[in-house]
Amino acid sequence: MSPGFDAADALARGLAAHVQRWATTRGAPAGAAHAAASAAQALSLATGDGHVCVWLADLAALTALTAPAADTTAHPALPADATAWRQQLQASRVVGSPAAPDNQPLVLDDDGRLYLHRHFDLERRLARRLLQSAAPLPVDAAADAATAAQLARLFRPDGAPAAEPDWQMLAAALALRGRLTVVSGGPGTGKTTTVVNLLACLLARTPDARVVLAAPTGKAAARLAEALRQRAGHLPPALQARLPTSATTVHRLLGVRPGRGGVAGAGEQAFEHHAGHPLALDLLVLDEASMLDLALATRLLEAVPLHARIVLLGDKDQLAAVESGAVFAELSADPRLSAEATAHLAQLCGLPATLIRPAAPTAATATATATAAPGVRPGVLADSVVWFQRNYRFGRDSGIGRLAADTLAGQPAAVLATLRGGQAGDGSALQWLDDAGAQPAAATLAAVTDGYAPYVQACRSALAAGTGADDTTAAALHAAFNRFRVLCALRDGPRGVAALNDGTSRRLRQAITGAAGDARTPWFAGRPVMVLRNDPALKLFNGDIGITLPGPDGAWRVVFPAAGDGGGWRALAPARLPAHETAWAMTVHKAQGSEFDAVLLLLPAQRSRVLSRELVYTAITRARQQVQVAAGADVLAAAVQASSQRHAGLLARLQDLRGG
């Protein structure tokens, strides 16, 4: 591949050329064919940035930023406004409508969203499946009485009357009265505790219910399973025994077919399970649902049998998926409850209905929802959404709590002031490393080395003991490694993941082994490795992390958690691994679903379109105790002020299917 080759741009130009030929062949006027080609090019580039659609009102600006799809001297000028764009696209004979998408390459809805046909189809299929689950279940008075008693035992064991609503209890009750529940809350807001008690209620009612726990990444799945085990101690032994003991990745759950991909963009039959061959389960609990892109969300929910309950857990304020779509943010946009649902929840939870007042969407959320879905009435997913706002790990006035809140509010001055405050009253450590250079400053590199110092010592101790790649050593080293992580906004450049991993390996390799090592091989004891591609045959999935250790024969082994196999550890030869990289540093996107004691966030030296408050917030909330931010003040301020809102129309598709 030649230097400077831009695959996304090449793909967009290829689509534009295809659309123009298609339109011309169908007899479209030259101006309409050119407009459709230019729109397709802009749309292709937008989907590469995570959007599901583009607005007609934005097309003039978007097409001005791209090279022309054809020689503009041979074609009329492109439309100047949304009305003119609609007229030209409708005349192109390659643009369908929601009522008649047919097999046209593009689809234009009544509100002015322009889609690639594939994305429109996925969005409509997902909406249809969601509405099937969002329909309320019949009321069963006898079951409700038992459920109310069980909820009271689990959430109010002291028997004291509730003075205010317990939204964990209400969320569990909501999940028991319907098939679809969306719970949004940051780390430490009680989502896992809610799931434990929900499962206890469900399994008490239906002991043989088939429950599946899942998450988009192996790390998130393992953390979900471990969190459930930790929070189940209050349950009777009989109920504890019925709880699921492990969680799986979405790809493992769906059954990736070797050689067929199984990722967004792959064919329908990339997975073993789909609408025609559904999963064998009665309840799906999916954690870190904000990481699901449109394609994967559609294929997952279509694979869930219609009778099953679906509980989606996530944080609406986190980064959206890497691929197109922001499904969880759309689904969790409106937590309002109908009068009927409020009355039913009051009965189940032993509360006056007047106390049940869902969180009102913030001004930022309301604005984003209105922008993304003009004309969509509130409550399109009524009675299915709960927001958790109380944080049990760190309060709003704690260091990390303030930092997160100020970031989401888009207040850079407050963010800097909080970072400069250093040690917070709750004991959390906050630090701003004023680092605006093209290369990471010496203080930043020292912070990286200091952060991994306990892990380096654990590796040295293991090597001195000669324990090799046994389970005890693997568990200890994984625990030590997961206490700290460097998170980067970018992969490339001197302040990106690749450069940080390379430099950190050189420094820490010598610190661990006492020698610089052979530069011809990247392998050394203690090297952390992240898998970059799914390999179902090896039961390794994108994002899994292993630790390099010597095996019994002295050869290198990379030891991974075997969470999907009931726990334990698996040691694999490096030559067997799928695509992988060193993992001292990772992108913020890759860190979603993980938590660490301490996090160092390294931002680039210059402003970038990937920087946003969602990225900063996601990085901050990976930390339990300590946050360091290495950046220039202007770059950090720009990131906090920018929002990574994605254009999509799932709420509109839901409303269409509900009858307008």
Side-chain angles (χ1 to χ4, degrees):
M1 190 175 294
S2 60
F5 177 80
D6 188 327
D9 184 67
L11 181 64
R13 289 175 178 274
L15 176 64
H18 175 73
V19 168
Q20 182 145 6
R21 286 194 299 270
W22 196 342
T24 301
T25 300
R26 291 185 169 186
H34 179 53
S38 298
Q41 183 175 347
L43 179 56
S44 179
L45 292 171
T47 59
D49 288 335
H51 301 287
V52 176
C53 57
V54 297
W55 292 99
L56 291 187
D58 296 335
L59 273 178
L62 290 172
T63 53
L65 295 175
T66 63
D71 182 3
T72 56
T73 63
H75 297 281
L78 291 172
D81 56 39
T83 300
W85 270 109
R86 181 178 291 278
Q87 292 170 347
Q88 290 285 56
L89 291 175
Q90 289 176 335
S92 71
R93 303 186 182 183
V94 291
V95 178
S97 69
D102 301 322
N103 291 318
Q104 310 284 33
L106 306 177
V107 177
L108 177 63
D109 76 5
D110 293 340
D111 294 318
R113 300 179 189 83
L114 182 68
Y115 293 84
L116 295 175
H117 185 282
R118 173 177 173 271
H119 284 140
F120 177 81
D121 180 63
L122 286 167
E123 203 171 72
R124 188 167 58 175
R125 284 163 50 191
L126 179 58
R128 184 180 296 114
R129 181 63 187 88
L130 286 164
L131 285 180
Q132 288 172 331
S133 289
L137 292 170
V139 175
D140 184 333
D144 281 357
T147 296
Q150 184 78 345
L151 288 170
R153 285 193 296 271
L154 291 166
F155 288 97
R156 291 201 295 270
D158 59 2
E164 60 182 24
D166 181 342
W167 282 101
Q168 294 182 26
M169 185 180 191
L170 286 162
L174 197 66
L176 290 166
R177 73 180 297 274
R179 292 193 183 95
L180 175 67
T181 308
V182 181
V183 180
S184 176
T189 54
K191 297 190 296 290
T192 306
T193 300
T194 302
V195 169
V196 168
N197 288 340
L198 165 63
L199 294 181
C201 288
L202 180 66
L203 293 170
R205 179 193 293 183
T206 313
D208 59 348
R210 298 164 298 177
V211 178
V212 172
L213 309 176
T217 68
K219 181 65 179 177
R223 190 167 63 82
L224 173 62
E226 178 60 26
L228 256 66
R229 287 192 292 270
Q230 292 175 351
R231 289 164 174 79
H234 66 290
L235 299 180
L239 277 179
Q240 288 190 44
R242 296 175 194 163
L243 292 178
T245 59
S246 63
T248 183
T249 65
V250 173
H251 286 88
R252 184 184 286 125
L253 175 65
L254 291 175
V256 179
R257 291 188 173 183
R260 301 293 299 274
V263 296
E268 284 297 310
Q269 298 306 307
F271 298 117
E272 294 288 346
H273 294 283
H274 44 80
H277 182 213
L279 295 158
L281 57 83
D282 301 303
L283 169 64
L284 171 67
V285 177
L286 180 74
D287 200 11
E288 300 294 342
S290 62
M291 299 171 67
L292 286 184
D293 60 78
L294 174 61
L296 190 57
T298 301
R299 288 168 182 150
L300 173 61
L301 266 63
E302 286 185 336
V304 177
L306 294 178
H307 77 272
R309 286 181 168 87
I310 301 169
V311 177
L312 303 178
L313 309 172
D315 185 349
K316 60 181 175 57
D317 296 315
Q318 280 192 37
L319 281 168
V322 175
E323 303 293 337
S324 295
V327 172
F328 188 82
E330 289 187 274
L331 295 182
S332 58
D334 189 353
R336 277 170 275 196
L337 298 169
S338 67
E340 180 184 1
T342 300
H344 196 189
L345 292 175
Q347 176 189 343
L348 292 174
C349 298
L351 287 168
T354 54
L355 287 181
I356 303 176
R357 297 186 296 272
T362 63
T365 301
T367 300
T369 302
T371 302
V376 176
R377 296 193 305 273
V380 68
L381 271 185
D383 308 334
S384 298
V385 181
V386 176
W387 290 359
F388 287 174
Q389 296 184 300
R390 179 182 178 184
N391 199 298
Y392 297 89
R393 181 182 303 165
F394 38 76
R396 189 177 177 85
D397 293 332
S398 68
I400 295 176
R402 289 199 311 273
L403 195 60
D406 292 339
T407 299
L408 289 179
Q411 300 293 328
V415 167
L416 280 168
T418 299
L419 284 170
R420 287 166 170 156
Q423 191 76 22
D426 63 336
S428 60
L430 306 173
Q431 185 179 14
W432 176 46
L433 300 171
D434 189 359
D435 182 357
Q439 301 283 339
T444 298
L445 298 179
V448 174
T449 301
D450 291 345
Y452 282 118
Y455 174 70
V456 169
Q457 184 56 52
C459 290
R460 290 171 61 92
S461 298
L463 290 175
T467 52
D470 63 62
D471 285 3
T472 301
T473 301
L477 292 184
H478 271 269
F481 179 67
N482 286 325
R483 292 191 182 103
F484 173 75
R485 195 72 84 249
V486 180
L487 304 181
C488 300
L490 304 176
R491 284 198 52 79
D492 301 319
R495 299 169 71 92
V497 167
L500 260 291
N501 278 329
D502 185 57
T504 304
S505 280
R506 288 195 302 271
R507 295 192 302 277
L508 298 190
R509 180 176 190 165
Q510 184 156 2
I512 292 171
T513 65
D518 188 346
R520 294 171 297 180
T521 175
W523 298 102
F524 60 92
R527 180 195 178 196
V529 173
M530 177 184 290
V531 173
L532 301 177
R533 179 171 53 80
N534 297 328
D535 190 328
L538 290 177
K539 299 181 179 179
L540 290 178
F541 294 85
N542 189 356
D544 288 351
I545 289 180
I547 302 293
T548 307
L549 290 168
D553 58 356
W556 294 123
R557 298 288 187 271
V558 186
V559 186
F560 293 88
D565 300 321
W569 302 88
R570 294 189 300 131
L572 299 172
R576 297 185 65 195
L577 299 183
H580 56 274
E581 67 181 7
T582 307
W584 304 109
M586 61 175 50
T587 63
V588 178
H589 268 104
K590 284 286 190 182
Q592 292 189 97
S594 300
E595 291 184 13
F596 314 98
D597 290 345
V599 160
L600 190 157
L601 172 62
L602 179 63
L603 297 183
Q606 299 185 357
R607 301 182 183 189
S608 167
R609 62 178 184 160
V610 304
L611 297 180
S612 66
R613 68 180 65 128
E614 291 84 0
L615 181 139
V616 176
Y617 168 82
T618 301
I620 289 167
T621 54
R622 298 312 90 203
R624 301 185 187 95
Q625 300 172 6
Q626 183 182 47
V627 173
Q628 297 170 291
V629 179
D634 60 336
V635 171
L636 178 57
V640 171
Q641 290 175 310
S643 178
S644 62
Q645 180 189 330
R646 291 188 172 180
H647 301 311
L650 181 58
L651 296 179
R653 303 286 78 78
L654 284 163
Q655 183 162 291
D656 290 345
L657 292 171
R658 289 186 66 176

